[in-house]
Amino acid sequence: MKKFIENHPAAAAVMLMFITLFPLMALRDFTPANELRYLNITDEALAGGHFFAFTSQGEPYADKPPLYFWLMMLLKTIFGGHSMPALSMLSFIPAAVMMTVMDRWAVSASGTTGRPDFLTRFASSLMLGTSALFLGTSVFLRMDMLMCMFIVLALHSFYKLYTGQGNRKVQGILLPVYIFLALFTKGPVGLLVPPVSIIVFLVREGKIRDIGKYLGWKTWGILVLLCALWFAGVWFDGGREYLENLLFHQTLDRAVDAFHHKEPFWYYAVAIWYVLAPYSILLVLAFFSEFTRGISDSGNFRERSMRRLSVSVTACTFIMLSAFSSKLSIYLLPIFPFMVYMLPLLSGKFRWRAWHTLSLMIPASVFVVAGAGGIAVLVTRCVPALEAYGFAWSPYVFVALSLLAAGGILGMILVLKSRSWQLPVISLAVSVLAAAAVVSAVIPQANDYIGYRNVCRTAAEMASGSPGKTVYVTLSVFRPDNMDVYLHEDIIDFGKDTGSYLDAGLGSHVLIVKTSAVSDDSGLHDRLQGLNPVQVGEYSLYLMPGHQEPQP
């Protein structure tokens, strides 16, 4: 194992992540916010035979390009249903590809002298893999990780062209293909980040006249051709109105005056500190240290080019995303690989200073406080709100919190003893992964609070015991519309409008209602009095008889 890690440190980091995260992937339920909606879109696309124009609950859904949905459709066809472990690979595999590509890129850029040792490479891979947002996106179902992979591959192809590596003709074709695939996965950010970063980099290098060598007629010609084929498919599948929605409403409108996720321009200046945790202080300060030095001329040509390209990608992407109206912290994901891998390129080129020590001591101490504090809260039961989550007192939770605290303590010792970042980062990263592996044992009990699989299974069992057709009704349920993925029929949702539900002329039905809503509304409480609910997580399920006239 030691020899394998020394020879293949990035692959070892990927394997460690897979082993520790796979139980979580296999055991958890789909979240209702986005994942369940993606499943529903996939089901409707397969049922309607649509491949370019999608619908969600029968309404046009032009928010996202088709590549990710195609992959989901393929996996459902192969497995005969929605497999969480298989679908999770659509996030984990791109993460693994990025960790491997960035590692090889850094080694190649360093040349034969100054090549990072296996410990630096292993720590860098784990730092990227366990930074908060990257780790979460490696598990949950979103398009962002796949888009980010294509962005990294596109910029790597440009780097090879710029430094004269590999087959120039092949890389010249791969560059626009990767850019298109990034666009085809998530949308305009995938199209904008590589070209803008390349232009900023070339301007910084004083080679503005070389822009056409990399972003010339061939690059844009391939992009236009691929986009034309895509838009033609959209036109034939969804018509002009769907195409206009895709091209204008979901791009220009979101950028200028967002109808979703509208945030102020300084939003990412705050978000960067928690999305890169626990390494954000170290990485942000290292970036500004390099940036304020004018992006130093140290190192060979390849290393200097990678470092300057990384700074260009990070800076221009951050500024560009801040200028857009629509903002989410996950949109910062494309800068993660480049911020992380500036550190191994800078290692050995800076003196260890007090701020380096503090940048790791602070997150390590947070691990200690979080682990020990979490145990203290559970033991003393001083937070009444936690009482509803009985699984929180599982021995696995205590072990996971202990691992976090131990990782923090060891990290603090290693920072002071080694005066380097590699071993402390490995300590923090391994404790996070070990805690995730241990706590996954309570996921089956926590699923009642994560998704709707158990709620819908219980509702279907209740309906099967009722004569005739029973409909499903939801009240004060968060995003219930995609429950039809499990129930295989539409539900009637009243939102939080209890009055409309009480006045509705409903026949026999299964009512799914948030438990707290029953006690908060006297009319609803009176209607349900005497009925025995089935409790699933924070929801109560009632088998309701036919319509009763509302009481005067």
Side-chain angles (χ1 to χ4, degrees):
M1 179 58 69
K2 182 180 178 182
K3 187 175 181 180
F4 177 80
I5 295 175
E6 290 177 352
N7 294 332
H8 308 283
V14 168
M15 288 179 60
L16 178 61
M17 284 184 62
F18 180 78
I19 292 170
T20 53
L21 296 179
F22 185 77
L24 180 61
M25 300 177 194
L27 295 172
R28 77 175 184 88
D29 196 2
F30 297 101
T31 61
N34 285 306
E35 294 179 337
L36 210 55
R37 177 172 56 186
Y38 294 162
L39 300 189
N40 176 69
I41 293 169
T42 300
D43 290 345
E44 292 186 15
L46 287 169
H50 295 290
F51 292 92
F52 290 95
F54 300 103
T55 59
S56 178
Q57 298 301 322
E59 297 295 323
Y61 185 84
D63 295 43
K64 305 292 187 296
L67 180 58
Y68 194 83
F69 293 123
W70 286 358
L71 295 174
M72 292 183 70
M73 293 162 71
L74 176 63
L75 289 177
K76 183 179 182 183
T77 302
I78 292 173
F79 289 94
H82 297 297
S83 168
M84 174 62 87
L87 288 168
S88 296
M89 291 301 104
L90 298 181
S91 296
F92 185 82
I93 290 175
V97 170
M98 278 188 284
M99 292 167 65
T100 305
V101 168
M102 293 303 299
D103 174 70
R104 292 180 179 176
W105 190 350
V107 170
S108 173
S110 300
T112 55
T113 59
R115 178 173 295 186
D117 57 47
F118 81 92
L119 195 64
T120 298
R121 293 171 62 190
F122 186 58
S124 300
S125 296
L126 283 178
M127 182 184 287
L128 176 59
T130 60
S131 54
L133 193 61
F134 196 95
L135 179 65
T137 315
S138 300
V139 175
F140 288 90
L141 310 186
R142 286 191 66 97
M143 294 88 171
D144 301 82
M145 191 65 85
L146 188 61
M147 178 194 70
C148 191
M149 181 191 76
F150 289 126
I151 289 174
V152 168
L153 292 174
L155 290 167
H156 190 219
S157 288
F158 162 74
Y159 170 82
K160 285 185 173 181
L161 287 169
Y162 182 76
T163 56
Q165 300 180 63
N167 187 309
R168 188 172 184 84
K169 290 183 178 179
V170 172
Q171 298 302 327
I173 293 174
L174 288 177
L175 174 59
V177 169
Y178 286 142
I179 294 174
F180 172 77
L181 289 173
L183 167 68
F184 204 49
T185 301
K186 184 70 190 286
V189 171
L191 174 65
L192 292 172
V193 170
V196 172
S197 301
I198 290 169
I199 292 171
V200 169
F201 169 77
L202 291 174
V203 170
R204 167 63 183 78
E205 295 296 287
K207 297 181 179 180
I208 191 171
R209 293 184 178 180
D210 289 347
I211 292 175
K213 289 173 57 177
Y214 309 101
L215 301 173
W217 66 267
K218 183 172 72 173
T219 298
W220 293 110
I222 293 174
L223 277 168
V224 168
L225 175 61
L226 293 173
C227 286
L229 293 173
W230 172 22
F231 298 151
V234 172
W235 178 283
F236 287 113
D237 201 12
R240 177 179 176 179
E241 186 176 350
Y242 189 98
L243 182 60
E244 289 178 348
N245 187 2
L246 175 70
L247 292 178
F248 301 107
H249 186 55
Q250 299 296 335
T251 54
L252 296 178
D253 289 351
R254 280 194 170 192
V256 177
D257 187 15
F259 46 90
H260 288 307
H261 315 308
K262 189 174 184 178
E263 299 289 349
F265 73 95
W266 44 261
Y267 174 81
Y268 292 122
V270 175
I272 191 71
W273 298 102
Y274 58 81
V275 298
L276 274 173
Y279 320 108
S280 50
I281 302 175
L282 177 64
L283 293 176
V284 171
L285 293 181
F287 168 80
F288 278 108
S289 175
E290 176 70 0
F291 190 80
T292 53
R293 287 195 305 161
I295 314 176
S296 65
D297 294 326
S298 62
N300 61 59
F301 171 68
R302 290 183 179 180
E303 181 190 45
R304 188 167 61 249
S305 298
M306 181 181 179
R307 198 169 63 248
R308 291 179 173 180
L309 179 60
S310 297
V311 171
S312 299
V313 173
T314 301
C316 72
T317 302
F318 189 92
I319 294 171
M320 179 175 63
L321 292 176
S322 296
F324 294 158
S325 177
S326 179
K327 296 180 181 70
L328 279 177
S329 57
I330 199 170
Y331 295 167
L332 283 177
L333 195 63
I335 74 173
F336 279 40
F338 299 96
M339 286 197 73
V340 167
Y341 273 86
M342 267 190 283
L343 202 59
L345 293 175
L346 292 170
S347 290
K349 298 181 177 63
F350 58 78
R351 293 176 57 191
W352 189 261
R353 301 183 183 276
W355 70 263
H356 292 106
T357 300
L358 285 174
S359 68
L360 288 168
M361 287 291 286
I362 292 173
S365 63
V366 170
F367 273 44
V368 177
V369 172
I375 292 173
V377 166
L378 293 176
V379 170
T380 60
R381 294 182 178 266
C382 61
V383 181
L386 286 176
E387 297 296 332
Y389 309 99
F391 57 85
W393 281 267
S394 166
Y396 296 107
V397 175
F398 284 91
V399 172
L401 291 171
S402 300
L403 288 169
L404 284 180
I409 293 171
L410 181 59
M412 295 171 73
I413 294 172
L414 291 172
V415 172
L416 297 174
K417 187 175 180 180
S418 68
R419 290 179 59 81
S420 64
W421 60 271
Q422 290 91 338
L423 289 175
V425 164
I426 292 173
S427 175
L428 296 180
V430 170
S431 68
V432 168
L433 293 175
V438 171
V439 84
S440 64
V442 305
I443 292 298
Q445 291 75 44
N447 273 335
D448 287 348
Y449 300 89
I450 294 174
Y452 292 148
R453 185 190 302 274
N454 292 339
V455 170
C456 292
R457 180 186 294 118
T458 303
E461 291 172 355
M462 294 172 70
S464 65
S466 177
K469 181 177 175 57
T470 302
V471 299
Y472 301 97
V473 178
T474 56
L475 187 61
S476 295
V477 176
F478 175 70
R479 293 192 180 182
D481 48 329
N482 294 308
M483 284 183 171
D484 57 356
V485 170
Y486 299 125
L487 298 172
H488 306 296
E489 60 180 90
D490 293 335
I491 54 98
I492 301 173
D493 178 36
F494 284 91
K496 295 183 179 181
D497 191 353
T498 305
S500 295
Y501 167 72
L502 293 174
D503 294 337
L506 297 173
S508 176
H509 63 278
V510 174
L511 173 65
I512 305 171
V513 58
K514 192 169 185 178
T515 304
S516 58
V518 178
S519 57
D520 292 343
D521 188 285
S522 58
L524 181 62
H525 180 271
D526 292 342
R527 174 69 64 86
L528 300 176
Q529 196 167 15
L531 298 175
N532 295 319
V534 177
Q535 191 71 29
V536 181
E538 58 182 348
Y539 297 106
S540 297
L541 284 71
Y542 296 84
L543 182 59
M544 303 295 292
H547 171 65
Q548 299 175 2
E549 293 295 330
Q551 299 298 317

